Amino acid sequence: MPYDVSSPLSGLRILVLEDEALIALDVEQLCRDHGAGEVAIAGNLREAREISAPFDAAIIDVMIGGEPTFDFARSLEAAGVPFVFASGYDKLDEIFVDFPDVTLVSKPYAGADLIEAVTESIRKRARSADS
């Protein structure tokens, strides 16, 4: 998939797994402003599993309703879907151990930081697929 600097998410389908509705809506708009073709929001893990795939990328909150999202993240990783974690938690050693190549964007985050992390995860996945 070609990288378009003016619209880095141009035409892509993005999954947002976030249980805080205002944050989810902000992230959805941010993705659309950067060219995303479709943004699917899931407020819990059940909804995330029910949304039809495939996704081009995902933005995953680390904890949804007090439940860690690591198993869901592993399923995305196994399916080859690039993703980033977004979290307000600061004790996240498990991410760095289990997901060493996945970017953690700390809340509160700047929109540009989040979009940059997502586009970089897409580029990394594309490079590894080409290898």
Side-chain angles (χ1 to χ4, degrees), residues 28-131:
E28 175 187 25
Q29 189 60 53
L30 182 65
C31 290
R32 290 186 186 285
D33 289 348
H34 286 84
E38 182 179 347
V39 180
I41 296 175
N44 59 54
L45 288 165
R46 179 189 51 76
E47 289 176 2
R49 289 183 187 102
E50 290 175 355
I51 295 173
S52 64
F55 302 105
D56 296 301
I59 300 164
I60 305 171
D61 192 349
V62 172
M63 297 291 281
I64 297 291
E67 186 177 352
T69 59
F70 299 125
D71 287 340
F72 183 75
R74 284 183 193 93
S75 72
L76 290 179
E77 196 167 54
V81 177
F83 62 93
V84 299
F85 285 114
S87 181
Y89 291 91
D90 58 359
K91 301 289 185 200
L92 296 171
D93 293 337
E94 188 171 353
I95 289 177
F96 302 109
V97 171
D98 292 348
F99 302 95
D101 295 328
V102 176
T103 300
L104 169 64
V105 182
S106 296
K107 295 178 183 175
Y109 45 76
D113 293 340
L114 184 63
I115 296 301
E116 182 179 329
V118 172
T119 55
E120 182 57 28
S121 72
I122 293 167
R123 279 183 278 195
K124 278 187 205 175
R125 182 66 61 175
R127 283 193 301 266
S128 68
D130 290 343
S131 307

